[in-house]
Amino acid sequence: MNVLQEIFKDNYEIIQYTLHPRDVVMESIDKMINCGDPSFGGAMYGCTHCGTFKFVPFRCHSKFCPSCGAKYCNDRATAMSFKLIRCHHRHCVFTIDEQLRHYFLEDRSLLNCLFSAVRSVVLNMFYKENKSKNFVPGVVCVLHTFGRPLEWNPHIHCLITEGGFSDDGYWRNIKHFNYLYLRKAFQTALLNEMEKHLDPSFKKVKADIYKKDKNGFYVYAKPALTDPSTVSQYICRYLGRPVIGLSRIDSYDGESVVFHYNRHEDNAYIEKKLPVIDFIKLLIQHIPEKHFKMTRYYGLYARNRKLDESLHRLVPKSKHKILLDFNTWRNRIASCFGYDPIQCPNCKKQMELLDLYYKHTKVSLEDLYERTMAKMKYHAGGKAA
């Protein structure tokens, strides 16, 4: 059991009956706590050479789980890399005024407004380059609702091609991004989107925001991404990261949690100690609603035109199977931890899958072994006959 499972298991009843969380939160917590628990099912492997058995429990596949969430992020990054065009990309971050953050926490459907605003602004910026040719970029948007101290801070990370493809098949490199336009246009687009969904009192808030943020909302760019390997690594490391990794949790004593982060402004190392319930509150607020898409594709990356097939992709189709095979749980465990999970611990031969136990009911591990051995004996007797 890892430290995050321990934290949530120790405080399960307090979370359920005191915090009254959303249904999706309790579902995610249940999955995470029981991740790797043999009683919830798994696969039984056997060695045909020496007769050794090995039970591998199922994982929860929850994005909230630190281990399964990391695998999900890697899978998502791999799928994303298949879509990307072989060209330079610009990574832009679209932020909002702190005064607006609570609206998105109280009504999570408003998070769609962030995506809509970014999409319209970026596509319009490229369209203005030459309206007759209609230059369209490839755009990937990823929503982050957290900052490094784990506070609620919704913002959009946007990966944009440094160029656009016209309707007549002409590619134009575009290196200059007008950030003043992006800031003001994003501010206007987002406030207008929010006004459509909120009550009339928001008009006053909107007017105050315009007075306070005269240059628009802050939009800044990370370094341009050049070669394919850099883009792939960047996607995995940055765009696909979970809310907090286990390595950032320094200690847990039953009452408080100590974690660390590097401050965004100056990269200074900050250590923070919180009561365990306050730490839990910070984490669970970032669990998205069911089926909510945290990653969205626009422009060239959203359409499937025959003309667009002429563009060179970051990862050729011939390499897709290799990367997908590498992402299997067996290969990932071997690359991360240095051992083969289905190698026999005694004779080092590859073990074979004997049985799957997929009904998540409370069954003892001893019963699973006995059932497998009985099945093995039955099959051996059948072959002998």
Side-chain angles (χ1 to χ4, degrees):
M1 180 176 286
N2 63 52
V3 65
L4 208 57
Q5 288 176 310
E6 188 181 347
I7 289 169
F8 279 87
K9 192 169 185 179
D10 288 351
N11 298 276
Y12 187 86
E13 290 186 356
I14 297 174
I15 297 168
Q16 188 172 21
Y17 299 113
T18 305
L19 301 183
H20 305 293
R22 294 168 289 139
D23 290 342
V24 69
V25 170
M26 289 310 301
E27 185 179 326
S28 297
I29 291 172
D30 285 335
K31 285 182 178 179
M32 186 264 291
I33 288 177
N34 296 312
C35 183
D37 184 344
S39 61
F40 283 80
M44 184 71 80
Y45 288 88
C47 180
T48 56
H49 297 273
C50 67
T52 301
F53 291 107
K54 183 178 182 180
F55 182 76
V56 180
F58 287 147
R59 310 308 299 188
C60 67
H61 304 292
S62 169
K63 300 172 194 174
F64 187 59
C65 174
S67 55
C68 295
K71 185 186 183 306
Y72 165 80
C73 290
N74 277 290
D75 290 344
R76 185 176 67 174
T78 300
M80 192 187 297
S81 68
F82 292 167
K83 288 179 175 284
L84 297 186
I85 297 165
R86 185 177 288 272
C87 70
H88 290 193
H89 286 75
R90 188 77 58 92
H91 176 200
C92 297
V93 184
F94 291 80
T95 67
I96 64 174
D97 189 289
E98 192 173 345
Q99 188 178 342
L100 296 177
R101 292 178 185 175
H102 72 93
Y103 288 104
F104 298 93
L105 184 60
E106 292 158 8
D107 181 359
R108 289 170 184 262
S109 68
L110 289 176
L111 292 169
N112 290 306
C113 297
L114 285 169
F115 285 105
S116 299
V118 171
R119 174 190 173 275
S120 64
V121 167
V122 173
L123 294 182
N124 190 55
M125 182 181 75
F126 276 77
Y127 179 68
K128 286 167 68 177
E129 289 292 324
N130 189 324
K131 295 180 181 180
S132 62
K133 282 189 175 291
N134 185 29
F135 285 107
V136 178
V139 183
V140 182
C141 291
V142 180
L143 172 67
H144 280 193
T145 58
F146 52 90
R148 294 181 184 181
L150 306 183
E151 85 286 14
W152 178 258
N153 177 18
H155 55 283
I156 297 283
H157 289 265
C158 195
L159 202 61
I160 310 168
T161 56
E162 288 192 345
F165 200 48
S166 67
D167 289 338
D168 59 0
Y170 176 75
W171 177 268
R172 176 175 176 177
N173 288 317
I174 297 174
K175 298 292 184 183
H176 174 68
F177 282 33
N178 187 337
Y179 285 100
L180 181 59
Y181 164 78
L182 287 176
R183 289 171 185 173
K184 290 190 173 182
F186 174 59
Q187 180 190 54
T188 301
L190 180 61
L191 291 175
N192 288 343
E193 284 282 340
M194 293 178 69
E195 189 177 9
K196 293 176 190 175
H197 297 84
L198 296 171
D199 59 65
S201 64
F202 183 72
K203 287 185 177 180
K204 184 179 183 306
V205 176
K206 183 179 175 182
D208 291 340
I209 293 290
Y210 275 126
K211 286 180 185 176
K212 184 167 65 167
D213 301 315
K214 293 180 180 178
N215 291 321
F217 293 153
Y218 189 41
V219 177
Y220 63 98
K222 295 285 182 178
L225 306 176
T226 52
D227 62 280
S229 60
T230 305
V231 177
S232 298
Q233 290 169 12
Y234 197 81
I235 291 168
C236 293
R237 180 177 60 85
Y238 200 84
L239 295 187
R241 67 181 182 182
V243 178
I244 189 170
L246 293 176
S247 59
R248 285 182 54 201
I249 302 175
D250 300 317
S251 66
Y252 166 60
D253 61 7
E255 295 183 358
S256 59
V257 178
V258 177
F259 70 97
H260 69 269
Y261 63 94
N262 291 94
R263 191 162 54 202
H264 180 74
E265 295 79 9
D266 54 7
N267 208 38
Y269 179 88
I270 305 295
E271 194 172 86
K272 200 167 185 177
K273 183 176 182 179
L274 291 175
V276 64
I277 294 302
D278 290 345
F279 177 75
I280 288 171
K281 285 179 183 177
L282 282 179
L283 289 188
I284 63 176
Q285 68 182 336
H286 301 297
I287 296 175
E289 293 299 311
K290 231 174 185 178
H291 310 304
F292 183 84
K293 293 182 178 179
M294 303 290 282
T295 304
R296 304 186 189 185
Y297 300 91
Y298 303 113
L300 293 176
Y301 294 146
R303 66 190 188 185
N304 188 22
R305 301 191 314 172
K306 204 154 193 175
L307 183 63
D308 298 340
E309 292 177 8
S310 62
L311 293 165
H312 295 289
R313 298 289 164 175
L314 182 68
V315 181
K317 281 190 177 180
S318 59
K319 293 185 178 179
H320 285 194
K321 188 178 185 306
I322 298 170
L323 287 171
L324 290 173
D325 287 345
F326 181 77
N327 270 5
T328 60
W329 70 273
R330 180 185 179 186
N331 287 333
R332 291 205 63 80
I333 289 176
S335 63
C336 294
F337 302 105
Y339 73 93
D340 186 341
I342 61 172
Q343 184 185 68
C344 177
N346 294 329
C347 67
K348 308 304 179 186
K349 301 288 185 180
Q350 181 175 318
M351 304 180 84
E352 292 186 7
L353 177 65
L354 301 177
D355 210 349
L356 286 174
Y357 303 92
Y358 50 87
K359 292 182 179 178
H360 286 199
T361 54
K362 292 285 183 181
V363 181
S364 70
L365 193 56
E366 289 76 11
D367 287 344
L368 297 184
Y369 276 93
E370 286 177 10
R371 282 164 54 181
T372 303
M373 291 178 72
K375 189 176 290 189
M376 287 280 286
K377 288 177 182 176
Y378 173 79
H379 288 308
K383 285 179 183 179

